[in-house]
Amino acid sequence: MDRVAIFNDYVRKKGLKNTSQRMIILETFLNSKSHYSTEELYLKLRKKNPKIGYATVHRTLKLFAECGIAVELNFGDGQARFEPVNDEEHHDHLVCTRCGDIIEFEEPRIEEIQEEIGKRYDFKIESHRHELYGICAKCSLKK
Amino acid sequence: MDRVAIFNDYVRKKGLKNTSQRMIILETFLNSKSHYSTEELYLKLRKKNPKIGYATVHRTLKLFAECGIAVELNFGDGQARFEPVNDEEHHDHLVCTRCGDIIEFEEPRIEEIQEEIGKRYDFKIESHRHELYGICAKCSLKK
DNA sequence: AGTTTTCTGAAAGTCATTTTCATTATCTTG
DNA sequence: CAAGATAATGAAAATGACTTTCAGAAAACT
């Protein structure tokens, strides 16, 4: 089931309504390089749809997170970012503290060890965040 | 060098002043179970020292982080938390999403893999955050 | 002790986010 | 399809954590 279908299902089940704004936001959100903050997505949407309000964008992003087609990320810059979720793959992030660039990485071994840690503490892991902060290759060169 | 000495050194080097408030805050901060938010530490300090202001507590916690005797953590509840740093050991956190309890874990294998990932992307890692969210043993029992 | 400089606490200001509320749009039912 | 019920929207106000301001207080230097 693709993410649009998941969202529509969620909306139906919850008795919510399917509005044009939500569709526009969903489409733009899914068809873009990820890691949008509310502000960024709002500004982007605004260009083509000047009538969409900031609050709606924010509410809709929260809704995406709620129904599982997005995750909320926070890289310590003081604003939440949202990333479309892809069921097949899970990744974490390298965050460049100089240019703000975000690189995704996958590491199944870490996922395994996490499971192990959960068992060790009798802790039911539901989600995690794992971010590595530092200087990316480009910035290292630039000096 | 213990953390009080590190702090005093830092203050001296930077031309800052050594005030009674800072000493009180430092002592309370170090001698407590960790993971205080500014608010929590402020309320605790207030009981014995009604004259200490919120801003001072917050500024001082930031100062601790700056001089390396504390780290700032963020568990997604909208407020920063500070934890005293212990040079010898490094740990990450399990955060119970039901009761807010925080359990520390150490896992050298993950630290190693992180190094490896840094090399893979030619990325100079300076810090990281790794948190596992879920339900702790106690809360699982409570139903 | 006097001077300079940093600190402090209270209050005001920021900034992202959230809520409110009057209006509008969607959905369901008749 | 129209009417009524209900949720959604956008603008503005509110919130809450954090940050800054500023006048008086405290520390460090001379």
Side-chain angles (χ1 to χ4, degrees):
Chain A
M1 195 156 71
D2 78 347
R3 290 170 292 193
V4 175
I6 292 171
F7 180 69
N8 286 333
D9 261 35
Y10 186 80
V11 163
R12 201 174 311 122
K13 271 191 206 125
K14 282 271 189 169
L16 308 177
K17 288 174 182 171
N18 209 331
T19 67
S20 63
Q21 287 91 332
R22 285 178 176 168
M23 284 304 108
I24 291 166
I25 296 169
L26 179 55
E27 194 183 335
T28 305
F29 178 63
L30 292 178
N31 294 320
S32 303
K33 69 166 184 16
S34 35
H35 313 121
Y36 272 122
S37 66
T38 300
E39 182 73 17
E40 286 165 1
L41 185 52
Y42 167 64
L43 291 175
K44 169 146 190 164
L45 284 161
R46 219 178 186 222
K47 287 179 195 165
K48 303 217 166 184
N49 310 78
K51 280 185 251 147
I52 290 184
Y54 180 98
T56 299
V57 175
H58 191 258
R59 280 186 286 230
T60 304
L61 284 171
K62 287 282 192 190
L63 193 57
F64 291 168
E66 211 178 296
C67 75
I69 64 170
V71 280
E72 187 172 338
L73 305 170
N74 199 304
F75 297 134
D77 62 348
Q79 53 185 176
R81 287 170 187 285
F82 293 84
E83 171 180 270
V85 164
N86 195 328
D87 258 352
E88 290 88 51
E89 55 123 5
H90 172 77
H91 63 256
D92 290 294
H93 301 90
L94 291 151
V95 182
C96 180
T97 51
R98 199 163 294 169
C99 68
D101 211 25
I102 297 161
I103 300 164
E104 302 175 350
F105 72 88
E106 280 183 76
E107 189 44 81
R109 283 174 297 165
I110 292 180
E111 309 288 323
E112 273 171 42
I113 297 172
Q114 286 181 170
E115 287 304 312
E116 214 180 280
I117 292 166
K119 290 206 186 81
R120 190 189 303 163
Y121 293 95
D122 202 7
F123 190 99
K124 200 171 297 153
I125 296 173
E126 290 175 339
S127 66
H128 73 265
R129 40 187 311 172
H130 193 182
E131 291 132 27
L132 309 179
Y133 295 88
I135 311 295
C136 72
K138 257 182 283 176
C139 287
S140 288
L141 290 177
K142 270 186 236 157
K143 154 78 186 34
Chain B
M1 195 157 69
D2 79 347
R3 291 169 292 193
V4 175
I6 293 172
F7 180 70
N8 287 333
D9 261 36
Y10 186 81
V11 163
R12 201 174 311 122
K13 272 190 204 126
K14 283 269 189 172
L16 308 177
K17 288 174 181 171
N18 209 333
T19 66
S20 64
Q21 287 91 332
R22 285 178 176 168
M23 284 305 107
I24 292 167
I25 296 170
L26 179 55
E27 194 182 334
T28 306
F29 178 64
L30 292 179
N31 294 320
S32 303
K33 69 168 184 12
S34 34
H35 313 123
Y36 272 124
S37 65
T38 301
E39 181 72 19
E40 285 166 2
L41 185 53
Y42 167 64
L43 291 175
K44 168 144 193 167
L45 284 161
R46 219 177 185 222
K47 288 179 193 163
K48 302 216 164 182
N49 312 78
K51 280 184 251 148
I52 289 184
Y54 179 97
T56 300
V57 176
H58 191 258
R59 281 186 284 231
T60 305
L61 283 171
K62 286 281 191 189
L63 193 56
F64 292 168
E66 210 178 295
C67 76
I69 65 170
V71 279
E72 187 173 337
L73 304 171
N74 199 303
F75 297 134
D77 63 347
Q79 54 186 174
R81 288 169 187 286
F82 293 83
E83 169 180 271
V85 165
N86 195 327
D87 258 353
E88 290 88 49
E89 55 125 3
H90 171 76
H91 62 256
D92 290 292
H93 301 88
L94 291 152
V95 182
C96 180
T97 51
R98 198 163 295 169
C99 68
D101 210 26
I102 295 161
I103 301 164
E104 301 175 351
F105 72 88
E106 279 184 75
E107 190 42 81
R109 283 174 297 165
I110 291 180
E111 310 287 324
E112 272 170 42
I113 297 172
Q114 286 181 169
E115 287 304 313
E116 212 181 282
I117 292 166
K119 290 206 186 80
R120 189 188 304 164
Y121 293 95
D122 202 7
F123 190 98
K124 201 171 297 153
I125 295 173
E126 290 175 339
S127 68
H128 73 265
R129 45 186 304 174
H130 193 183
E131 291 132 26
L132 309 180
Y133 296 89
I135 311 296
C136 73
K138 256 182 283 174
C139 287
S140 287
L141 289 178
K142 271 185 237 157
K143 150 79 187 25

